[in-house]
Amino acid sequence: MNIFRLAGDMTHLASILVLLLKIHTIKSCAGISLKTQELYALVFVTRYLDIFTDFISVYNTVMKIIYLGSSFTIVWYIRRHKIVRRSYDKDLDTFRHYFLLLPCLLLAVLIHQKFTFKEVMWTFSLYLEAVAILPQLVLLQRTRNIDNLTGQYVFLLGAYRSLYIFNWVYRYFTEPHYVHWITWIAGLIQTLLYADFFYYYFESWKNNVKLQLPA
């Protein structure tokens, strides 16, 4: 554990809390992509198959439970909550997210560190997380009403991954033989997908105007 890893985890947790605050308090999921939330739920399920078999630390186990529980809670809210689901932008959230699954799975089968079921699923989760934000970004481009909480949620989600890159750099220079090319490349691709959003987010903040992405 180092300051960058902790900051990344806390930023990720903050993004989840912001989204849950928006959904539970305002009773609205406008501007939130169900497709992205479903992909994240799958990411956490396939990544944390070891939750009941491998104990690392209390912190690690608690964070796994939070990620799993919150992701399925968000999906339930958007799909089933009688008030929240009415605000879901179904006509705009049309990205064919299932097309991302097979390429990520095939890539995990071909490129992995060890050919075991749990290791391939863990690698699959890395590849899928790298592109899971795409439906959300496409939805934000299509909508002309990006509220503050939605913008903050996506910003914090991108910031979490950016902080993890600093964590990897720190560990590379402080830990012997620390090399994880698959994790690094997937994380870098994921961060680059946020670049356009970061630019317009900071522009809106600097100029004190409403956040809008180019169509």
Side-chain angles (χ1 to χ4, degrees):
M1 179 65 69
N2 59 69
I3 187 62
F4 299 114
R5 163 74 185 276
L6 181 61
D9 286 347
M10 292 303 102
T11 304
H12 194 182
L13 185 59
S15 73
I16 294 171
L17 292 175
V18 166
L19 181 53
L20 285 172
L21 175 67
K22 171 187 170 73
I23 293 175
H24 181 72
T25 305
I26 305 177
K27 295 294 187 292
S28 171
C29 63
I32 301 299
S33 170
L34 173 62
K35 309 291 181 66
T36 284
Q37 299 307 318
E38 289 176 338
L39 291 178
Y40 278 134
L42 184 56
V43 164
F44 296 133
V45 166
T46 53
R47 180 170 301 172
Y48 300 141
L49 293 174
D50 63 348
I51 189 171
F52 298 113
T53 58
D54 300 332
F55 178 78
I56 299 174
S57 67
V58 173
Y59 173 85
N60 185 270
T61 300
V62 168
M63 293 303 286
K64 289 178 180 179
I65 293 172
I66 290 174
Y67 292 148
L68 284 165
S70 61
S71 62
F72 281 98
T73 298
I74 292 166
V75 170
W76 178 85
Y77 262 113
I78 299 175
R79 280 192 170 276
R80 300 297 180 187
H81 194 280
K82 61 182 179 180
I83 298 177
V84 174
R85 67 181 183 181
R86 295 175 190 167
S87 58
Y88 171 50
D89 301 317
K90 185 177 181 179
D91 293 336
L92 297 178
D93 191 22
T94 57
F95 189 98
R96 297 182 180 180
H97 61 321
Y98 43 82
F99 284 163
L100 299 173
L101 301 179
L102 185 58
C104 290
L105 181 59
L106 290 176
L107 195 58
V109 171
L110 294 173
I111 305 176
H112 49 263
Q113 292 182 342
K114 187 188 299 181
F115 191 65
T116 64
F117 178 73
K118 284 201 296 187
E119 187 68 26
V120 170
M121 288 296 98
W122 179 80
T123 307
F124 166 73
S125 77
L126 293 179
Y127 296 149
L128 186 60
E129 186 184 14
V131 295
I133 195 62
L134 284 174
Q136 180 64 64
L137 294 177
V138 170
L139 176 59
L140 292 183
Q141 286 182 322
R142 290 173 177 173
T143 184
R144 307 308 297 172
N145 182 29
I146 305 176
D147 61 81
N148 289 335
L149 288 177
T150 300
Q152 290 170 10
Y153 162 68
V154 177
F155 171 76
L156 289 169
L157 206 54
Y160 128 75
R161 181 48 74 190
S162 301
L163 286 166
Y164 255 67
I165 291 179
F166 288 105
N167 163 57
W168 298 330
V169 172
Y170 176 84
R171 294 184 64 183
Y172 177 79
F173 286 106
T174 58
E175 298 180 19
H177 313 298
Y178 178 75
V179 178
H180 293 282
W181 287 109
I182 293 175
T183 305
W184 294 349
I185 293 173
L188 182 60
I189 291 172
Q190 182 180 352
T191 304
L192 289 175
L193 289 177
Y194 285 91
D196 193 53
F197 174 85
F198 282 154
Y199 172 78
Y200 288 102
Y201 183 88
F202 283 115
E203 281 292 304
S204 69
W205 174 77
K206 184 178 68 173
N207 298 315
N208 195 28
V209 296
K210 193 173 183 63
L211 174 62
Q212 287 188 337
L213 301 183

